[in-house]
Amino acid sequence: MSHHPGIFKPLPGEYFRHPEEGGATNVETRLSRLPGYLTPNRQFFVRSHFDIPELEATNWRLTLTGDALSREQSLSLADLERLPRVSVIRAIECAGNARAFFARDFGTAAEGAQWGQGAVGVAEWSGVRLRDVLALAGLEEGAFHVLPEGLDSGRFARPLPIDKALADDTIIALAMNGEPLPIDHGFPARLVVSGWLGAASVKWLGRLEVSRDALNTYWNTKDYTLAGPDYPVEGEADGVPITTMPVMSLIDLEDDARLDAGDTILRGRALSGEGQITRVECRLDDGVWQRATLHMPNIAGAWVCWSLTCHLDAGRHVLQVRARDDRGHEQPERVVWNDHGCLYNAVTRVTFHADDRARD
């Protein structure tokens, strides 16, 4: 097994933006270029913490171990493929998505890759339920944590509570949008944890430890936490470990984009962790908040596409968008600072320009 210090797929500027301080293994999607509901594999954002492993499907093994299993198991891809196959359409979103807006709002940048809004994507993930895999090793009463570990160069690992690990839509994915997992997205097998921060969906899965005790790592105690003066310290963590992603709206428009003046349709997406979006509202310049149209499908744990028909006068415009979910969560006017720059979900705002159409 060798490791690659970068991203394998082509990264045309038409589809991707490199966040400042993002490093060679991070790239975000230009939402304005998405053609439909699902994010194509070639346009899906990439967030990797360490160098990417080059793995052979024939040699790959998944090790199951820990004191809450009856026996240790070493499973091949063929072993997994004998289990019932399931597919889920789910979002994966980095907890640091929209981190760049902390600098805009607070005058100080939060630590980490300065993502815009493109560290998110929705795909159809196909594979097997994690609970069916754990059952092969005899899951015992009293299991508390499942710790998935990747085969990347740093062995990235972040624990799941047993209830989340056993959920219907927590899966080990072997395919993405009907194709074998691309290497950048976890080939040959990755976890997909519905509604939680992207870091929970460990890529290049190689090991699962199931324990009766807490299995904490750096990635749920010193990073991917809400830490800072307004957050309490929990246990070994420097703040509150992040789990479910918050309600958020996205605009399919580049900042400072140029559109034609006149009647037009503005578009975007909205999502809320494990929830379902029930309302999206838009405000153009100093106008009133208007309810946007939500389009099918609207899948909990994924996103919904929205649109707003409006008239644009020539000149500079500001579009604000806020979303609400079926659990009563709504995007706030502003967020509280946190040191790691995670879970930014204040009302979404983009500035653009409308130009009079060139006349013959």
Side-chain angles (χ1 to χ4, degrees), residues 56-67:
E56 295 290 335
T58 51
N59 299 331
W60 176 86
R61 291 293 183 275
L62 176 61
T63 300
L64 277 63
T65 187
D67 63 14

Side-chain angles (χ1 to χ4, degrees), residues 25-297:
T25 55
N26 300 329
V27 67
E28 69 176 284
T29 300
R30 292 191 185 275
L31 301 173
S32 61
R33 301 299 299 165
L34 290 183
Y37 186 85
L38 298 179
T39 307
N41 295 359
R42 65 176 182 170
Q43 291 175 252
F44 211 96
F45 85 100
V46 180
R47 170 65 169 119
S48 302
H49 293 86
F50 303 105
D51 292 349
I52 294 172
E54 298 181 65
L55 303 169
E56 295 290 335
T58 51
N59 299 331
W60 176 86
R61 291 293 183 275
L62 176 61
T63 300
L64 277 63
T65 187
D67 63 14
L69 296 176
S70 301
R71 56 196 167 274
E72 188 163 301
Q73 291 278 97
S74 177
L75 303 175
S76 66
L77 276 178
D79 293 327
L80 296 190
E81 287 166 354
R82 281 191 279 270
L83 294 171
R85 184 176 300 176
V86 297
S87 294
V88 296
I89 294 175
R90 292 293 184 271
I92 290 184
E93 181 179 14
C94 179
N97 198 28
R99 180 181 286 128
F101 300 130
F102 278 98
R104 181 188 70 186
D105 294 357
F106 292 92
T108 302
E111 64 185 49
Q114 297 300 299
W115 299 106
Q117 285 203 314
V120 59
V122 167
E124 180 187 28
W125 308 96
S126 301
V128 297
R129 288 189 180 93
L130 176 57
R131 69 173 186 231
D132 292 342
V133 174
L134 297 180
L136 296 177
L139 181 66
E140 296 185 347
E141 291 288 328
F144 182 75
H145 263 178
V146 176
L147 183 67
E149 182 181 275
L151 294 169
D152 48 353
S153 59
R155 294 295 195 267
F156 184 88
R158 195 177 194 274
L160 285 177
I162 191 65
D163 287 351
K164 188 62 175 174
L166 300 180
D168 277 350
D169 55 0
T170 297
I171 72 168
I172 296 177
L174 308 176
M176 178 180 181
N177 290 329
E179 300 177 351
L181 277 178
I183 189 168
D184 296 309
H185 299 292
F187 176 86
R190 72 171 297 165
L191 213 55
V192 172
V193 181
S194 176
W196 278 36
L197 73 165
S201 294
V202 173
K203 297 190 284 187
W204 312 293
L205 193 61
R207 186 172 178 271
L208 292 166
E209 182 178 354
V210 188
S211 174
R212 299 174 186 275
D213 300 308
L215 295 172
N216 292 318
T217 72
Y218 176 89
W219 303 103
N220 73 313
T221 59
K222 305 302 179 191
D223 199 358
Y224 295 116
T225 60
L226 294 174
D230 293 289
Y231 292 98
V233 171
E234 290 190 6
E236 299 176 33
D238 63 2
V240 181
I242 294 168
T243 57
T244 308
M245 293 297 289
V247 62
M248 183 65 166
S249 59
L250 312 168
I251 301 172
D252 291 359
L253 197 62
E254 302 279 329
D255 219 16
D256 291 324
R258 305 201 80 91
L259 304 179
D260 288 335
D263 295 335
T264 193
I265 299 176
L266 301 175
R267 294 181 172 88
R269 298 151 201 276
L271 68 165
S272 183
E274 298 167 280
Q276 185 177 43
I277 297 297
T278 56
R279 179 190 291 256
V280 172
E281 294 175 314
C282 302
R283 186 184 187 201
L284 187 61
D285 302 322
D286 295 324
V288 298
W289 287 98
Q290 303 176 67
R291 193 161 180 171
T293 301
L294 304 185
H295 301 283
M296 296 294 290

